[in-house]
Amino acid sequence: MYSSSIADAPLVREPLHAPVAHLIRGGMIEGIHYGSVVVLGGDGDVRFQLGDIEAAFYPRSALKPVQAVAMARAGLPLDGELLSLAAASHSGEERHLAGTRRILELAGLTEDHLRNVPDMPFDPVVRDAWVREGRAPSRLAQNCSGKHAAMLYTCALNGWSLDDYLDPGHPLQQAVAEIVEDLTGQRIARVTVDGCGAPLFSVSLHGLARAAARITTAAPGTPEARVADAMREHAEMASGSGRDVAALMRAVPGLLAKDGFEGVQVAALPDGRAVAVKIADGANRARVPVAAAALAFAGVDPGSLTEFRGEALLGGGREVGCVQPVRSLEPVAVSACA
């Protein structure tokens, strides 16, 4: 079981990543993706590890469920679609923009209060439509706007200042940091700025998996359970139509999953089994099949994971290879080359 004590911060060092996936073309290894993988059992013990699961790293948006828990603990009253959006890296679809506006309205605020960076929608189809229509980048369209709107709502409810809500010393960010340490079970190693402008806390891959497991095993009605339920029930609100992370939650009953830029993936089941993946070069083409293989290693039925085998490698317009998890995951791998 998990300890209630908080361990020292993970070491800031060059991660000792290992090969986690091979690019197979014509039956031969053409390239190698390095990274790290951890699989936790329902009791919290490490059942499988590859690479460096204890070095400090930046979870990027994979930490958003933890940030959402922190806001819920601080009084954020959202549930359902809007709470899922508070933990989202959304695609910029109209429902995401409308949901973010709704959170701001509940707080008595407007888009002008947001301090995330203006951007175009994340989804390429939606983004192309914006370009054709001559629409400019906006804070509302940026993929973290739901989180930022929820942060502002949390500040308004607590009487905290709004203009500086992204300052690491702000009461909101101090509250987030406290919950990051509580759920990961370790001190934060370093604080920097994420792409959206919010503080980004460095923990270990092991700590990230532990946090996800603690969220999915929390008692019903707790802030953790509210976040997990919202994201699982409204997976497209936490991501978008056609996104692999939403498809993964639909394919595996009870699974909570969140991706992050630079090849990060975390996922956890209601019984506490959890996996976390970091691809060293940030490649999504390796993140998806490696995460699926890790889930199969954790005991998820491989048959439910076949659509996550990863993109094919093409030659002359036909499939001649694939991205395949390394041999240590092979006994339960869901990826197989043509």
Side-chain angles (χ1 to χ4, degrees):
M1 299 299 292
Y2 294 109
S3 170
S4 60
S5 62
I6 297 177
D8 291 340
L11 292 177
V12 177
R13 65 185 182 213
E14 181 178 352
L16 303 173
H17 290 308
V20 294
H22 292 151
L23 277 65
I24 308 295
R25 182 183 294 272
M28 193 173 77
I29 296 175
E30 180 180 33
I32 301 173
H33 286 291
Y34 283 73
S36 296
V37 181
V38 61
V39 177
L40 301 183
D43 56 4
D45 289 346
V46 174
R47 298 298 171 85
F48 175 83
Q49 61 180 307
L50 185 62
D52 196 342
I53 69 169
E54 303 296 354
F57 91 119
Y58 291 123
R60 301 300 298 270
S61 287
L63 200 61
K64 282 179 178 174
V66 179
Q67 293 171 310
V69 168
M71 290 186 276
R73 286 195 189 182
L76 184 69
L78 301 177
D79 282 298
E81 288 189 345
L82 295 185
L83 184 55
S84 182
L85 185 59
S89 300
H90 66 69
S91 291
E93 300 165 30
E94 282 304 319
R95 60 177 157 184
H96 300 129
L97 276 59
T100 301
R101 291 191 192 98
R102 179 59 181 152
I103 296 172
L104 290 169
E105 289 170 0
L106 290 170
L109 304 172
T110 69
E111 183 179 352
D112 291 338
H113 290 90
L114 294 171
R115 291 292 179 267
N116 57 316
V117 294
D119 201 357
M120 301 292 280
F122 179 78
D123 184 273
V125 175
V126 180
R127 183 171 60 247
D128 288 348
W130 273 55
V131 172
R132 288 195 301 270
E133 296 165 7
R135 300 172 72 174
S138 77
R139 298 185 193 277
L140 206 63
Q142 197 268 337
N143 77 91
C144 302
S145 64
K147 178 183 78 174
H148 281 254
M151 284 182 168
L152 283 166
Y153 192 8
T154 304
C155 290
L157 289 168
N158 285 278
W160 296 333
S161 57
L162 302 180
D163 289 345
D164 60 342
Y165 75 94
L166 297 182
D167 189 315
H170 189 279
L172 170 69
Q173 303 303 339
Q174 290 293 298
V176 171
E178 180 181 343
I179 302 308
V180 169
E181 294 187 335
D182 178 29
L183 294 180
T184 63
Q186 60 190 177
R187 300 296 179 192
I188 292 166
R190 190 159 293 179
V191 181
T192 187
V193 182
D194 209 341
C196 65
L200 176 60
F201 305 103
S202 176
V203 293
S204 70
L205 196 67
H206 187 181
L208 178 65
R210 187 162 45 228
R214 287 180 169 177
I215 290 173
T216 58
T217 57
T222 60
E224 291 89 336
R226 285 171 49 206
V227 170
D229 289 344
M231 293 181 68
R232 289 183 294 218
E233 293 169 13
H234 304 279
E236 286 80 7
M237 207 66 169
S239 53
S241 303
R243 294 273 291 279
D244 59 73
V245 68
L248 189 60
M249 284 192 276
R250 290 195 303 268
V252 182
L255 185 73
L256 174 69
K258 185 70 186 76
D259 55 346
F261 279 154
E262 298 303 325
V264 182
Q265 179 76 58
V266 67
L269 292 154
D271 63 4
R273 288 175 291 160
V275 307
V277 171
K278 164 64 181 176
I279 306 301
D281 61 5
N284 273 330
R285 69 176 180 181
R287 171 183 61 83
V288 177
V290 170
L295 284 168
F297 198 103
V300 173
D301 177 11
S304 66
L305 298 167
T306 53
E307 68 176 290
F308 308 102
R309 62 188 294 266
E311 63 185 68
L313 299 184
L314 302 180
R318 64 185 180 88
E319 184 173 345
V320 295
C322 70
V323 180
Q324 183 169 295
V326 293
R327 192 173 298 275
S328 57
L329 284 170
E330 191 174 45
V332 287
V334 297
S335 177
C337 289

